[in-house]
Amino acid sequence: MQMAPSVTGTERHTDWNAVNWRQANKRVRNLRQRIFRATQAGDRNTVRSLQRLMLRSYANALVSVRRVTQVNQGKRTAGVDKVVVKTPVARGKLVDILMVYQPWKAKPAKRVYIPKANGNLRPLGIPTVLDRCLQARVKNALEPAWEARFEGSSYGFRPGRATHDAMARIYNTASTRSRKQWVVDADITGAFDTIDHAHLLATIGAVPGRALIRQWLKAGYVDRGVFHATEAGTPQGGVASPLLANIALHGMEQALRVTFNRQGHTIGNRAVVRYADDFVVFCESREDAEAVVGILKEWLAIRGLTLSEEKTRIVHLTEGFDFLGWNVRHYPVKTTRTGYKLLITPSNVSVRKIKATLRAAWRRLDGSNAGAVIKALTPIVRGWALYHRSAVASQAFKDLDYWMFRKEMNFVRASHPSKPWYWRKQRYWGNLNARRKDHWVFGDRPSGHYLLRFRWFKIRRHVMVKGTSSPDDAQLREYWAKRSAAKSHDLSPHKQRIARIQNHVCPLCGESIHNGEEIHAHHINGRKDDDVILVHLYCHQQAHSPKGKSEARHTA
């Protein structure tokens, strides 16, 4: 692994397989909580001092390298220097470089394109691995201070918040008894690509790491071998970019004069729900909604942003709108006092998208055996069902199961064109799931494996995060532990029991098993069923390394 040269300093040799992750995570968490608390108290000098301490922290370097090279989706994507960090030795060297490296100039990002839902391409800017790790370090110093100030209506790319919290907020706001029946369904044109640098840096202020942030903003990008300067925007693909976008869009509630009572409920004539650069504003009249569009245009213009004339629209809740993959709409009924009922269902776009994904997977699996089909399709079915199970999704699940059954029949017919129907049925369908009274479960009889069905996932309502609560608030430790434990409902029944026994915590690193990393079953003494614990993927790898075996056995 070749990196930029480092300055002279005390040599450190990090053994990645011997890192004490319990201690490293605890130190970073404690520093974040102290920064959060000092920000709430308005003690700027202490905040700056703690942020400088975070930037120099060895624990922060370790956590940042793990996040960038093992956890994040782009861990296998190289920047313009073509460096990808894959081995424990390379990760240890990267940590050592970070502790002494002086970043005189950030390297440009590599421009890549990924498909969007509408068929267009979304440009991403991929920084080098070293710059991504530096961004992760700066993010840990900057984010807690902003978590103490961010608005409660902001849910995108923030710790402890997700799309389901935003939708729960919309469910509460779009009640049929609410007077806010008009919705501004807004869309910002190229939000990440057009944010004004001067305004963003002025909003961030004189904080430690500001010079680094300015370098990343001005670093430019390389597209097909050609360098392009960046005079605006923060590239999607950078670790710090989502935080910078949230900082740029902070203050929308104040601009729209949204007011709350002591319980955190909206009491004014407007309400807003924002997920990163996607947001909706609820108003009491069409005239007020039109006024909101005018306010937003002026407010966004200061930040270098504009509303899309084609995609921004004003709708009544009886027409409905799509947001984050769901459709929100008031349907006429005769059983309520208002004559309408609010339903949030998977959007037609989401259903078409999952069908397209599954259709492509079935085509790739032509000629494969049933085991390969089950292995490839199960994660797709599980992921989509878990995402939409908090909505009114029962009918969508049933329709998708019927659609999948036809795909199964086509697959079996193509695999055995000369066999009679009763032979195919006996070979591929049956009551393979003992917990279900269903004789039409598709599977592989010799192994006993079967394909999941959408309707097996019971509808489970999501409990919205309270107000402006943040995981960086040490006083809410028990609250966040309970919210994290609730995520175990998405595991299989067997893993749910194991998770409860170990209190939903990874025994090896001490962090919640639901911290975004892949969960593995670790056998402490061989392959016995009674010695299994749930651990993170990379904790599992460390436990099986020569230096990690004895420690893992002792910890568990």
Side-chain angles (χ1 to χ4, degrees):
M1 179 183 66
Q2 294 180 349
M3 292 287 182
S6 60
V7 298
T8 304
T10 304
E11 286 195 10
R12 185 192 294 267
H13 299 285
T14 299
D15 185 345
W16 189 257
N17 287 328
V19 171
N20 186 335
W21 290 109
R22 184 184 295 269
Q23 185 181 75
N25 288 323
K26 182 178 180 180
R27 287 180 175 175
V28 172
R29 181 171 56 250
N30 287 346
L31 271 176
R32 286 181 63 106
Q33 290 174 352
R34 291 171 66 188
I35 294 171
F36 181 92
R37 186 165 57 248
T39 304
Q40 283 188 320
D43 190 346
R44 293 186 179 181
N45 291 334
T46 301
V47 171
R48 302 293 185 268
S49 176
L50 290 171
Q51 287 176 329
R52 283 191 289 270
L53 183 60
M54 179 71 88
L55 292 176
R56 297 193 302 266
S57 169
Y58 178 61
N60 187 19
L62 289 168
V63 171
S64 298
V65 170
R66 176 165 176 162
R67 176 64 54 183
V68 169
T69 65
Q70 292 187 309
V71 180
N72 287 356
Q73 277 191 329
K75 56 182 176 288
R76 295 184 181 91
T77 305
V80 294
D81 60 356
K82 301 182 181 180
V83 172
V84 179
V85 177
K86 296 182 178 180
T87 66
V89 174
R91 294 186 185 102
K93 289 182 179 179
L94 180 55
V95 172
D96 299 339
I97 290 171
L98 281 173
M99 292 306 297
V100 296
Y101 176 65
Q102 295 295 330
W104 300 112
K105 186 177 182 180
K107 291 184 180 295
K110 184 177 74 172
R111 176 59 56 92
V112 297
Y113 297 90
I114 61 172
K116 297 171 66 173
N118 58 9
N120 296 330
L121 294 177
R122 184 191 304 277
L124 298 183
I126 309 298
T128 64
V129 172
L130 184 58
D131 280 334
R132 274 178 268 168
C133 291
L134 287 167
Q135 287 187 27
R137 296 181 78 190
V138 172
K139 183 182 178 183
N140 271 333
L142 192 63
E143 188 173 54
W146 280 96
E147 278 295 306
R149 287 179 278 180
F150 277 147
E151 299 157 328
S153 60
S154 168
Y155 295 97
F157 304 115
R158 292 182 56 192
R161 293 168 178 255
T163 53
H164 294 85
D165 295 297
M167 191 49 64
R169 181 69 168 263
I170 286 179
Y171 180 82
N172 294 337
T173 306
S175 166
T176 55
R177 291 174 292 182
S178 171
R179 296 194 303 180
K180 304 179 187 68
Q181 302 284 310
W182 289 92
V183 180
V184 178
D185 183 9
D187 184 88
I188 300 176
T189 304
F192 281 82
D193 298 325
T194 57
I195 292 174
D196 183 75
H197 290 171
H199 185 275
L200 177 58
L201 290 170
T203 304
I204 292 173
V207 298
R210 185 178 186 275
L212 282 173
I213 295 172
R214 188 180 186 282
Q215 281 195 40
W216 296 323
L217 294 175
K218 300 293 185 182
Y221 65 91
V222 176
D223 187 6
R224 298 179 179 91
V226 179
F227 174 80
H228 300 267
T230 48
E231 300 301 328
T234 173
Q236 296 186 63
V239 176
S241 293
L243 172 61
L244 297 178
N246 274 330
I247 292 173
L249 292 170
H250 174 65
M252 189 176 290
E253 284 183 357
Q254 184 178 0
L256 296 174
R257 297 180 181 177
V258 178
T259 55
F260 303 90
N261 59 17
R262 292 182 178 179
Q263 288 74 38
H265 301 142
T266 307
I267 58 175
N269 58 356
R270 295 170 182 166
V272 61
V273 180
R274 181 172 68 84
Y275 188 89
D277 59 327
D278 295 328
F279 62 94
V280 289
V281 184
F282 293 85
C283 306
E284 294 184 358
S285 67
R286 185 178 184 89
E287 292 73 21
D288 189 44
E290 292 172 350
V292 162
V293 172
I295 294 171
L296 287 172
K297 285 182 178 179
E298 293 182 9
W299 186 79
L300 291 171
I302 300 172
R303 291 154 176 79
L305 305 171
T306 57
L307 286 178
S308 170
E309 297 290 343
E310 298 79 17
K311 297 181 180 179
T312 299
R313 61 194 189 111
I314 298 174
V315 297
H316 195 272
L317 279 171
T318 54
E319 301 175 56
F321 64 93
D322 289 350
F323 190 67
L324 301 177
W326 292 290
N327 179 261
V328 183
R329 185 178 175 185
H330 284 179
Y331 289 85
V333 294
K334 297 180 180 180
T335 56
T336 64
R337 205 180 301 178
T338 62
Y340 288 92
K341 184 176 183 179
L342 170 64
L343 294 180
I344 299 179
T345 60
S347 69
N348 291 333
V349 174
S350 293
V351 174
R352 288 197 298 268
K353 188 175 180 181
I354 186 62
K355 284 183 178 179
T357 301
L358 289 168
R359 188 181 296 113
W362 278 110
R363 287 173 180 169
R364 289 195 304 270
L365 292 164
D366 279 346
S368 302
N369 57 34
V373 170
I374 295 167
K375 184 177 180 180
L377 298 185
T378 293
I380 302 175
V381 174
R382 183 190 299 277
W384 199 87
L386 288 177
Y387 184 84
H388 289 284
R389 71 187 295 187
S390 62
V392 182
S394 297
Q395 188 59 49
F397 286 176
K398 290 179 182 178
D399 293 343
L400 283 169
D401 280 337
Y402 179 69
W403 183 87
M404 283 287 283
F405 178 69
R406 286 183 293 165
K407 290 295 180 183
E408 294 164 7
M409 293 193 54
N410 292 339
F411 171 81
V412 173
R413 189 182 298 116
S415 299
H416 307 281
S418 61
K419 294 294 184 180
W421 164 243
Y422 68 85
W423 183 92
R424 300 173 191 160
K425 179 183 181 299
Q426 186 177 11
R427 172 75 178 270
Y428 289 99
W429 286 279
N431 188 17
L432 301 180
N433 186 343
R435 296 191 299 273
R436 305 280 175 179
K437 295 181 179 180
D438 190 340
H439 294 278
W440 287 96
V441 179
F442 179 83
D444 180 37
R445 284 186 177 276
S447 66
H449 296 158
Y450 52 84
L451 185 59
L452 297 178
R453 292 198 165 193
F454 287 94
R455 66 171 175 262
W456 289 352
F457 292 83
K458 294 182 179 179
I459 302 301
R460 186 181 296 277
R461 302 306 176 198
H462 179 79
V463 180
M464 183 179 65
V465 62
K466 292 182 179 179
T468 58
S469 301
S470 171
D472 290 317
D473 189 347
Q475 296 180 350
L476 299 178
R477 187 175 302 158
E478 292 185 5
Y479 170 77
W480 287 106
K482 290 180 180 179
R483 285 189 65 83
S484 181
K487 296 179 182 178
S488 292
H489 291 302
D490 293 341
L491 301 176
S492 65
H494 176 61
K495 289 185 177 179
Q496 286 184 38
R497 290 193 293 271
I498 300 175
R500 284 195 296 270
I501 292 173
Q502 60 191 60
N503 200 25
H504 312 277
V505 171
C506 172
L508 302 185
C509 71
E511 296 295 298
S512 167
I513 58 174
H514 304 292
N515 69 344
E517 299 186 33
E518 186 177 331
I519 301 174
H520 274 209
H522 173 52
H523 295 263
I524 306 171
N525 298 303
R527 301 289 297 179
K528 298 178 182 178
D529 291 336
D530 59 350
D531 68 347
V532 177
I533 58 176
L534 297 182
V535 298
H536 300 124
L537 165 61
Y538 303 110
C539 293
H540 196 196
Q541 291 180 354
Q542 186 185 47
H544 283 287
S545 68
K547 293 188 177 181
K549 288 182 179 179
S550 59
E551 182 180 350
R553 187 177 293 111
H554 174 75
T555 304

